[in-house]
Amino acid sequence: MSGFFLKELAARINLKLTVNIFEPRDFSRTGPPGCNMCAGVVSEELVQTLAAEGINLPEMVVQRGIDTYFLHTSGLEPVDIAIPDVGMRIATVYRGGGPRLSPEGVQWSSFDGFLLELAKSKGVNHIPQRVTGLSWHKDRPRVSCKGHADEDYDLVIGAMGVNSASLKLFEELGFSYQAPPVSKGYLSEIYLGVEKTRKYFGMGSMHIFLLEIPGLKFAALIPKTENITVCLLGEDINREIVQQFFAAPEVRACFPPDWDGIGDVCRCMPKLNLGLAKNPYGNRVVMVGDCAISRLYKDGIGAAYITAKAAAVTAVFLGVHRDDFHNYYRPVVQRMDRDNHVGEMIFYITTFYQRLSLLRMGMVRMIAMEKRVSPQSRDMSRVLWDTFTGSAPYWEIFLRCFHPRFVYRLVTSTLYSLPRYLRGRMKNLQEKKGQVA
Ligand SMILES: Cc1cc2nc3c(=O)[nH]c(=O)nc-3n(C[C@H](O)[C@H](O)[C@H](O)COP(=O)(O)OP(=O)(O)OC[C@H]3O[C@@H](n4cnc5c(N)ncnc54)[C@H](O)[C@@H]3O)c2cc1C
């Protein structure tokens, strides 16, 4: 996106710029070669913001209109929650050519491919090569790649995410950059075919899970025409967590009864940004997207958009010196970092809801009761939706949780759930006693 913005902004002040994008991926290919490993959920707000920038995502690229979600919690019936506000809807994309193993063929076009073509239409040159070397020539960064003569640039923007070994090139360039902390996520695409996807998942619903699985912060099933995208995020998702997730009765109940488990699907365990990189800028060099910062457990595409635009605005209107990035780019990145710290607190609190069934019961009851009130005052539904999709900053969500109405409803719902909780505990104890006897 930085290439697009550089050209777009430079044109506004009649500045002639040559912009080269190095991108080795062929986004028209299905499976890993064309994929940037992401669940592909984007908020409606981002789709609208892009439209305001003149980036209108065609229907083949973005499938809009997920406006309901089912919340599945361990041991409880799922609750469906309709999104009250169109602006809070989410849309879905495939970053590359789509998953491998789709017998009907993928009926989508690549989001990243679309953005690359858009940048090219603005006059950006695409060099389909991996950058293999970075060095300094006098005071300008020099870029090396296979099949091309080395070139010196006025500015190098690092936008290679966190899954690339090339981050080392920037760490060794001498501006004290250090890649951000990361963890591992899990993604898979489960092919069900158009009919079964529609029958078991519907097209306008996403399934979010708050399960009692340690280490799992967020889990979702996202239907995409003929496939179900499975996304698991946490501090370090491993095979055991993946197996526990697929074995959970709440997950199996979503799939057709004859579904044979994970089976032969397109899957990966990509790295996930968990914080701010050290020194994400220097003289004539700036890092954007995941390799600088992202939003904790959500909206990485939105974060990449914000940082790419801020870096391009700085470079075109202020300059490419370290001080320019310090004065304009740093506050943007720091704002996101501060918000992520609030997000950490929210996810910490969420772990109590994962572990304690009484709290879960209270939360689910509060959601069920909210169906009776006006859409605008469905506090818990909105808090959960925003936490998991990125439709609002974490600080805003956090403040909403301290609103007297929210606290009152949550406390009363939890107290109302107490008898049912105690009955359940007694039943469990009696069953255990029976087994011992
Ligand atoms: C499991 C999982 C699920 C996610 N789901 C979502 C989601 O639903 N919605 C969302 O908004 N975010 C999601 N994210 C986060 C999102 O994927 C990232 O935040 C986003 O992709 C960051 O964009 P980026 O451009 O910084 O990096 P990337 O998307 O990783 O792109 C980096 C690009 O750099 C290229 N590159 C790498 N090395 C070189 C090199 N040496 N030379 C030239 N090019 C190079 C790569 O080919 C690639 O195209 C998810 C992340 C994970 C791990």
Side-chain angles (χ1 to χ4, degrees):
M1 273 191 244
S2 348
F4 168 85
F5 285 125
L6 282 173
K7 275 297 214 184
E8 182 77 2
L9 297 169
R12 287 192 206 167
I13 53 168
N14 286 328
L15 175 69
K16 283 220 165 89
L17 274 187
T18 302
V19 180
N20 293 343
I21 291 184
F22 293 82
E23 176 52 77
R25 263 188 218 288
D26 175 354
F27 296 115
S28 65
R29 293 182 65 188
T30 57
C35 181
N36 265 332
M37 299 178 290
C38 162
V41 171
V42 288
S43 66
E44 179 69 23
E45 194 191 341
L46 178 63
V47 176
Q48 299 292 349
T49 309
L50 292 176
E53 305 275 8
I55 305 175
N56 289 302
L57 300 171
E59 251 178 56
M60 282 295 283
V61 170
V62 63
Q63 295 211 346
R64 307 170 75 163
I66 290 196
D67 51 15
T68 314
Y69 69 101
F70 286 85
L71 178 72
H72 302 258
T73 50
S74 294
L76 298 174
E77 284 296 304
V79 273
D80 64 302
I81 302 164
I83 305 310
D85 187 343
V86 173
M88 287 171 72
R89 281 194 320 188
I90 55 163
T92 49
V93 300
Y94 274 125
R95 300 287 301 273
R100 63 191 176 99
L101 308 170
S102 273
E104 292 162 10
V106 179
Q107 300 166 21
W108 299 44
S109 296
S110 157
F111 176 73
D112 291 23
F114 170 78
L115 291 180
L116 184 57
E117 287 308 314
L118 190 76
K120 281 161 73 176
S121 74
K122 293 278 168 194
V124 170
N125 308 309
H126 174 210
I127 300 172
Q129 292 294 339
R130 179 170 295 280
V131 170
T132 51
L134 289 173
S135 55
W136 292 101
H137 186 242
K138 298 188 180 141
D139 69 335
R140 293 167 81 214
R142 174 168 285 185
V143 176
S144 316
C145 78
K146 228 166 115 186
H148 256 265
D150 292 356
E151 262 188 281
D152 300 338
Y153 287 86
D154 291 325
L155 171 68
V156 169
I157 301 183
M160 67 246 308
V162 282
N163 285 290
S164 171
S166 311
L167 282 173
K168 273 257 164 291
L169 300 177
F170 284 91
E171 287 181 327
E172 288 163 3
L173 195 58
F175 64 103
S176 308
Y177 167 72
Q178 219 174 307
V182 291
S183 71
K184 222 188 256 174
Y186 171 89
L187 284 172
S188 61
E189 298 286 343
I190 297 178
Y191 175 79
L192 285 188
V194 179
E195 291 217 339
K196 278 191 178 169
T197 303
R198 201 161 281 165
K199 181 170 172 198
Y200 289 93
F201 287 86
M203 292 316 294
S205 311
M206 170 171 154
H207 294 252
I208 293 176
F209 297 82
L210 200 61
L211 301 179
E212 234 182 311
I213 300 178
L216 182 62
K217 298 267 187 205
F218 171 83
L221 298 180
I222 306 142
K224 290 184 182 166
T225 313
E226 66 281 26
N227 287 284
I228 309 299
T229 301
V230 183
C231 175
L232 308 186
L233 302 178
E235 262 146 30
D236 242 328
I237 301 296
N238 54 33
R239 268 167 197 271
E240 206 184 310
I241 293 179
V242 175
Q243 278 166 0
Q244 282 183 51
F245 175 75
F246 280 108
E250 294 81 8
V251 177
R252 299 199 74 89
C254 296
F255 286 92
D258 60 346
W259 182 59
D260 59 356
I262 309 179
D264 194 12
V265 295
C266 195
R267 74 185 83 147
C268 60
M269 294 188 88
K271 286 183 190 158
L272 172 77
N273 172 304
L274 276 192
L276 178 61
K278 277 202 184 128
N279 301 312
Y281 51 84
N283 282 337
R284 299 186 183 279
V285 53
V286 59
M287 312 300 283
V288 300
D290 268 17
C291 57
I293 190 163
S294 188
R295 294 181 71 193
L296 189 67
Y297 299 128
K298 65 177 183 183
D299 193 29
I301 299 172
Y305 155 79
I306 290 170
T307 51
K309 188 170 179 191
V313 168
T314 312
V316 172
F317 296 122
L318 297 167
V320 294
H321 193 270
R322 186 189 177 282
D323 291 346
D324 300 315
F325 292 118
H326 190 77
N327 293 334
Y328 185 80
Y329 183 64
R330 181 168 157 263
V332 174
V333 166
Q334 278 190 329
R335 210 174 307 134
M336 214 179 276
D337 187 43
R338 277 196 297 272
D339 194 51
N340 282 345
H341 288 305
V342 182
E344 275 170 22
M345 273 194 276
I346 293 179
F347 277 100
Y348 180 69
I349 295 168
T350 312
T351 55
F352 290 101
Y353 281 82
Q354 282 179 297
R355 281 187 216 148
L356 303 172
S357 58
L358 174 61
L359 296 184
R360 283 200 302 274
M361 283 172 156
M363 181 181 72
V364 168
R365 188 175 194 281
M366 181 166 161
I367 295 168
M369 300 303 284
E370 283 179 356
K371 287 190 178 168
R372 299 181 191 169
V373 299
S374 76
Q376 298 319 315
S377 49
R378 290 178 188 165
D379 302 331
M380 180 60 94
S381 312
R382 295 176 83 101
V383 158
L384 289 173
W385 182 253
D386 289 339
T387 301
F388 295 131
T389 62
S391 305
Y394 283 120
W395 66 263
E396 202 185 298
I397 300 169
F398 194 71
L399 287 185
R400 274 192 256 148
C401 294
F402 286 97
H403 189 284
R405 185 176 70 191
F406 184 94
V407 176
Y408 172 76
R409 283 184 184 166
L410 185 58
V411 170
T412 48
S413 293
T414 308
L415 289 176
Y416 269 110
S417 306
L418 194 57
R420 191 175 152 213
Y421 167 77
L422 291 174
R423 277 198 303 276
R425 295 279 297 174
M426 293 287 281
K427 198 173 153 211
N428 279 351
L429 280 174
Q430 278 163 358
E431 275 172 10
K432 270 190 194 156
K433 266 190 191 166
Q435 278 169 8
V436 173

